[in-house]
Amino acid sequence: MFAAYAARIDADDPLSGLELGERPEPVARPGWSVVTVRAASLNHHDLWSLRGVGLPAEKLPMILGCDAAGIDEHGNEVVLHSVIGQSGHGVGPDEPRSILTERYQGTFAQQVAVPTWNLLPKPAGLSFEEAACLPTAWLTAYRMLFTNAGVKPGDTVLVQGAGGGVSTALVVLGRAAGLRVWVTGRDEAKRDRALELGADAAFPSGARLPERVDAVMETVGAATWSHSVKSLRPGGTIVISGATSGPSPAAAELNRIFFLELRVVGSTMGTKEELAGLLSFCATTGVRPVIDSVLPLDGAPEALARLAKGEVFGKLVLTP
């Protein structure tokens, strides 16, 4: 079957390790299902894999891709939950959790195998392309807001970094849930598009805000960390799910964190139950993922190059 896969690891030039070509079809085994992929979406996790983060060289070649929607062997339209081993379903009880492409072949292919437990019904109102955007970036945003932030309708949430898959999801989900959503970003065009999506205000990166916020959604890391801490009201919460600009800020702001009793909460992906909640949320509210572009599977190099350069607003989707 045709696939986009990591053939080599290169921390400095990750795209050089990407290849397109034929890979073995997945083989069905007890407790697992083979899904015909109709759409798969990109994540920064794919670039990190090409750099060797979470993907050791001995696992190569590895088909990339965490997220997908497709059709199972019984003809059901399904969405994949890409965390394997969290529950023990389909794997040994002592196997640590991993994300597709860390231990098991991913979704940038015509077919993918996952534990049957990891499949959820695709709502009829969602296209395959829309559904494929949900299991990583949108699930991450859903967990950040509704599980870990402790916010309620009417609260003000600051989203650092306009334009990425998680940040656009945070804007759309937050607005639909009755939150006041502010965003920051370096690019004026991306700030304007965030306003079109429903953000209540958009500011240049690092700008002084009109007032302190109840929670900050942090995915940027070192470049915005100090601003995030200084933007919080006393007792407020930072939820951090990524550090695309690096994990080591110049100042940790520890004095401000303990003196103002701020909460710093780490957040990674989400559970199958939370993905079910997200699918239901989208189905009942009419919320839909923001899609930048849909490309054929052989467009994976172009898509990953755009993602690496930050030339994306929303999600990039591949269709086999």
Side-chain angles (χ1 to χ4, degrees):
M1 67 177 179
F2 186 74
Y5 60 95
R8 293 169 302 280
I9 298 297
D10 191 324
D12 298 319
D13 185 15
L15 294 180
S16 68
L18 176 69
E19 290 192 2
L20 303 176
E22 292 296 314
R23 297 299 304 150
E25 293 183 357
V27 178
R29 51 176 159 160
W32 287 59
S33 290
V34 174
V35 175
T36 299
V37 177
R38 295 290 297 273
S41 69
L42 276 68
N43 295 283
H44 278 280
H45 182 79
D46 303 309
L47 292 172
W48 287 115
S49 295
L50 287 165
R51 293 186 176 99
V53 178
L55 177 58
E58 58 266 24
K59 289 287 187 179
L60 299 178
M62 176 63 75
I63 298 172
L64 297 174
C66 303
D67 297 349
I71 300 174
D72 71 8
E73 62 265 50
H74 304 296
N76 301 307
E77 296 184 352
V78 295
V79 182
L80 277 61
H81 179 51
S82 62
V83 180
I84 310 296
Q86 184 176 18
S87 65
H89 290 275
V91 299
D94 298 324
E95 180 174 316
R97 71 176 183 178
S98 64
I99 299 173
L100 279 178
T101 75
E102 293 177 343
R103 291 173 178 265
Y104 302 102
Q105 301 292 327
T107 61
F108 293 175
Q110 293 170 309
Q111 292 184 316
V112 63
V114 296
T116 304
W117 183 86
N118 284 66
L119 301 180
L120 293 100
K122 181 184 76 66
L126 286 173
S127 69
F128 285 105
E129 291 82 2
E130 291 167 341
C133 296
L134 298 178
T136 295
W138 277 67
L139 178 58
T140 295
Y142 184 89
R143 181 176 177 84
M144 290 174 78
L145 278 175
F146 303 130
T147 301
N148 289 325
V151 290
K152 59 186 183 301
D155 284 351
T156 302
V157 173
L158 175 65
V159 177
Q160 294 283 22
V166 175
S167 62
T168 54
L170 287 164
V171 170
V172 174
L173 292 172
R175 181 57 184 262
L179 301 171
R180 182 168 66 159
V181 182
W182 293 351
V183 300
T184 68
R186 294 175 298 175
D187 186 291
E188 183 177 2
K190 289 184 177 180
R191 296 198 302 269
D192 289 342
R193 290 201 58 188
L195 293 171
E196 293 173 5
L197 286 180
D200 294 279
F203 306 92
S205 296
R208 184 179 180 86
L209 303 181
E211 61 187 71
R212 291 180 178 174
V213 301
D214 298 290
V216 178
M217 304 293 107
E218 175 63 82
T219 62
V220 179
T224 56
W225 180 256
S226 184
H227 183 257
S228 292
V229 176
K230 293 174 181 176
S231 298
L232 270 181
R233 64 163 176 79
T237 303
I238 297 176
V239 182
I240 178 169
S241 70
T244 55
S245 67
S248 303
E253 306 289 351
L254 294 180
N255 287 345
R256 186 179 293 269
I257 288 172
F258 77 72
F259 186 74
L260 296 179
E261 296 188 315
L262 307 181
R263 297 174 64 242
V264 178
V265 181
S267 189
T268 300
M269 288 286 287
T271 66
K272 178 187 174 182
E273 291 73 22
E274 286 167 330
L275 179 54
L278 171 59
L279 290 166
S280 177
F281 187 91
C282 291
T284 56
T285 64
V287 163
R288 294 295 182 267
V290 181
I291 296 176
D292 179 291
S293 305
V294 178
L295 296 88
L297 183 54
D298 60 9
E302 173 192 345
L304 284 163
R306 287 185 57 200
L307 186 65
K309 293 176 182 177
E311 298 175 351
V312 180
F313 192 91
K315 295 289 291 179
L316 291 166
V317 178
L318 301 175
T319 54

